[in-house]
Amino acid sequence: MADRPKRVEFREEGPREGFQIEKTIFPLESRVQLVEALAETGLHHIQVASFVSPKAVPQMADSEAFFAAIRKKPGVHYAGLWLNEQGFHRAKATPGVDLSGKISLYASNAFALKNNGCTAQEMAERQRRWLELYDEAGIAPEFAIIMAAFGCNYEGDIPPDRVVGMAKFAHSICAERGHKLPAVFLADTMGWGNPDQTRRLVGMVRDALPDVRIGLHLHDTRGIGTANVMAALDMGVDFFDSSVAGLGGCPFAAHGDAGAAGNVCTEDLVFLCHELGIETGIDLEALVECAKLAERIIGRRLNGRVMHAGSLAKYRAPKREAA
């Protein structure tokens, strides 16, 4: 397809998305090992942990110690997540956190109340204060993320016009402070999206904000995450959140099966891109080893496909030698 990008960028979220939904709190050493292994694959952005209430998410109670234990690789961005001003101050005070100016919005009011304890409108209004804090810290806004943009387990279908309106709101509050909004991530937090919906929503946001890069945060909850990525690639989308081994899921999203709630799988998508001739800068075989490491840490079979089947490299090699 003429519109497919020549190169795709992945933001790895497995260490944060994956461990937050598990009932077990895994040893710090194991989680550090996974982050350090991911940094050796060619990934340039790894979301390590979140700065949220330890009572609500005890798996993330040691985020400061987590960041302190990682041996950082130059050129890799080690990110943290926060959902309120207190979380931002914790992240800012933690050595080793690479801060990004992000705007967090909800397309679902019901999910905002469950996940953030406030309405979607209250969360939106708080973003003006977040931008003020970013300015004080010398951090430029880098992206907005709109959660539950494709549908919500509490609220049902989400009108696409609402999502477009929120993207425009993020753009406008950045402009109020003299900033540009570089990117908008549309998050299918609960796995509602389908390829037609993906095309439609990407197209509508792109028409509304033609100078803003579109990214997708997709979950493979119902098995069509890769199909949604394929639809997005055909529209030229080149920016995706993903999780090694298909880890992930929001613990407050009322998933029918938390084990199936994971993000689109990083190594499966890297394989897809390479098969399509799209560059990623990622060593697929090294990433597969990371997925196997994640599986050993979690202690059960994980949902990635390439990690179990392998890439096609070993099958193609004999044919090249014979030729």
Side-chain angles (χ1 to χ4, degrees):
M1 298 287 292
D3 291 335
R4 287 180 190 164
K6 290 182 168 52
R7 186 179 182 89
V8 163
E9 180 179 354
F10 291 102
R11 302 193 315 177
E12 173 60 45
E13 301 214 324
R16 193 274 304 176
E17 274 266 12
F19 293 119
Q20 75 172 8
I21 200 170
E22 297 292 326
K23 294 181 179 179
T24 301
I25 298 176
F26 295 96
L28 181 65
E29 300 79 17
S30 298
R31 289 176 280 145
V32 168
Q33 184 183 6
L34 179 59
V35 170
E36 291 179 350
L38 287 165
E40 297 297 329
T41 65
L43 287 161
H44 292 294
H45 184 109
I46 302 171
Q47 192 173 78
V48 174
S50 57
F51 294 90
V52 293
S53 167
K55 291 182 180 179
V57 189
Q59 299 88 338
M60 296 284 114
D62 63 352
S63 294
E64 287 87 352
F66 194 175
F67 274 95
I70 297 167
R71 291 174 296 178
K72 309 297 191 304
K73 181 180 176 64
V76 176
H77 184 100
Y78 297 87
L81 178 140
W82 55 87
L83 291 173
N84 56 33
E85 187 173 333
Q86 181 182 1
F88 171 71
H89 285 304
R90 279 183 62 197
K92 184 171 176 286
T94 300
V97 178
D98 295 314
L99 297 172
S100 297
K102 70 183 182 69
I103 296 168
S104 296
L105 300 168
Y106 289 93
S108 162
N109 191 62
F111 182 51
L113 289 166
K114 292 285 185 180
N115 197 50
N116 232 100
C118 65
T119 68
Q121 184 59 40
E122 286 170 339
M123 187 65 171
E125 289 304 321
R126 289 177 185 178
Q127 302 313 295
R128 288 190 166 91
R129 171 59 179 159
W130 288 25
L131 288 170
E132 182 180 336
L133 291 172
Y134 297 157
D135 278 347
E136 292 172 359
I139 303 167
E142 292 187 21
F143 65 94
I145 184 165
I146 303 172
M147 291 171 272
F150 291 76
C152 175
N153 292 344
Y154 300 106
E155 202 165 303
D157 293 308
I158 298 295
D161 287 343
R162 183 188 302 172
V163 178
V164 174
M166 302 188 80
K168 292 167 72 174
F169 170 80
H171 186 271
S172 68
I173 61 173
C174 286
E176 287 173 6
R177 301 192 67 86
H179 297 297
K180 291 184 178 180
L181 177 64
V184 170
F185 272 82
L186 307 175
D188 187 16
T189 312
M190 302 172 216
W192 279 60
N194 63 61
D196 283 349
Q197 185 184 15
T198 300
R199 294 185 193 95
R200 181 167 60 252
L201 197 54
V202 168
M204 289 176 67
V205 174
R206 183 176 284 160
D207 287 345
L209 300 172
D211 296 328
V212 174
R213 188 182 187 189
I214 306 297
L216 292 179
H217 175 107
L218 302 174
H219 285 247
D220 196 32
T221 313
R222 292 169 177 82
I224 59 172
T226 301
N228 294 338
V229 170
M230 191 70 233
L233 289 173
D234 283 343
M235 294 192 70
V237 175
D238 64 352
F239 207 7
F240 296 92
D241 288 343
S242 61
S243 289
V244 63
L247 292 169
C250 174
F252 306 108
H255 293 292
D257 178 1
N263 291 49
V264 286
C265 178
T266 310
E267 66 273 12
D268 290 0
L269 298 189
V270 170
F271 172 77
L272 171 66
C273 287
H274 290 181
E275 289 297 301
L276 295 175
I278 299 171
E279 296 179 8
T280 65
I282 295 171
D283 181 336
L284 177 59
E285 302 304 329
L287 191 57
V288 166
E289 292 305 311
C290 290
K292 293 177 180 178
L293 172 60
E295 187 170 74
R296 292 195 297 272
I297 294 170
I298 299 294
R300 67 171 187 277
R301 185 180 175 91
L302 298 180
N303 294 330
R305 303 302 292 268
V306 175
M307 66 180 289
H308 298 298
S311 71
L312 295 175
K314 66 180 180 181
Y315 300 104
R316 287 180 171 139
K319 296 181 182 300
R320 287 198 298 268
E321 291 169 3

